[in-house]
Amino acid sequence: VARCRLRGARLLDGYRGQSAANVAALAELVSRVSLLAADFQHRIDQIDINPVIASADSAVAVDALIVPLNSPH
């Protein structure tokens, strides 16, 4: 239900002949990042993950940056 509110939600269902994204794998990725952020909430200032590639088989964070608290950025 919540994914219907995403601006790019239609892309998850397949676009221009591509297979639909594995939404369960994408949700798992988001959930694990959320757990990481919660576990280290007093040590992490920012998390940037871009891009995430979601295919019919998986969802993969291609690049990520974690900025610790009190880090010069």
Side-chain angles (χ1 to χ4, degrees), residues 2-36:
R3 83 175 205 180
C4 296
R5 291 181 278 191
L6 295 173
R7 286 188 297 171
R10 291 186 295 178
L11 297 175
L12 297 174
D13 295 327
Y15 183 69
R16 294 187 178 174
Q18 297 293 318
S19 298
N22 185 330
V23 176
L26 186 57
E28 179 71 17
L29 186 148
V30 171
S31 176
R32 287 177 181 259
V33 170
S34 295
L35 290 172
L36 175 77

Side-chain angles (χ1 to χ4, degrees), residues 22-53:
N22 185 330
V23 176
L26 186 57
E28 179 71 17
L29 186 148
V30 171
S31 176
R32 287 177 181 259
V33 170
S34 295
L35 290 172
L36 175 77
D39 287 348
F40 294 95
Q41 63 184 305
H42 301 294
R43 298 184 71 189
I44 295 175
D45 184 38
Q46 300 174 35
I47 300 175
D48 180 25
I49 301 173
N50 187 18
V52 171
I53 298 177

